[in-house]
Amino acid sequence: MIPAEPGAHVARYIHKKDNTPGARFSTKPVVAWDDIGAAMVLDTRRGYLVRADSYSNFDAVVSADSTPVVGAIPGGGWRAEYREDDGSTVSTPVVAWNVRADGGLDPICTDPDGLTGDPTDDANFVRLYLPGDE
């Protein structure tokens, strides 16, 4: 068994009531990896480690910051600023905000090819700024 890096990964479990739209997720921290690389979590009722996928509602092992997206709202005039190779800056509108199950928001921008992504992941990202704040 290999100890997991504390707080790095979680096992995600899905909870869906019959005849209701959407789903709710819960997570358990990954404590260790077994000899074949399967995630191990603490079964608090039994008091020992079990494979994360031993629960029938197991969904996936994800980075601890990979909370599921449950909705989206319009960008509301926010902009993302990037630094160009020559040192100048350019901005692009935030077209939407992804809403995560834990209440977190991620900005979404589009590139000239129409591909979407979180601008804060780009190496040349500088800042997000409010509507009217130049």
Side-chain angles (χ1 to χ4, degrees), residues 17-100:
K17 294 182 180 176
D18 293 337
N19 302 322
T20 60
R24 185 179 65 81
F25 292 90
S26 65
T27 60
K28 288 180 173 274
V30 173
V31 177
W33 307 96
D34 73 7
D35 294 336
I36 62 168
M40 304 292 289
V41 296
L42 178 63
D43 183 324
T44 54
R45 286 192 294 167
R46 293 185 270 180
Y48 56 83
L49 295 180
V50 296
R51 283 180 53 144
D53 61 2
S54 67
Y55 295 97
S56 63
N57 62 338
F58 173 75
D59 181 54
V61 172
V62 296
S63 295
D65 62 354
S66 294
T67 309
V69 172
V70 295
I73 57 176
W78 284 74
R79 298 188 69 81
E81 185 174 86
Y82 301 90
R83 185 156 320 280
E84 297 288 302
D85 291 338
D86 65 3
S88 65
T89 58
V90 63
S91 72
T92 186
V94 172
V95 296
W97 295 89
N98 279 345
V99 181
R100 299 208 170 263

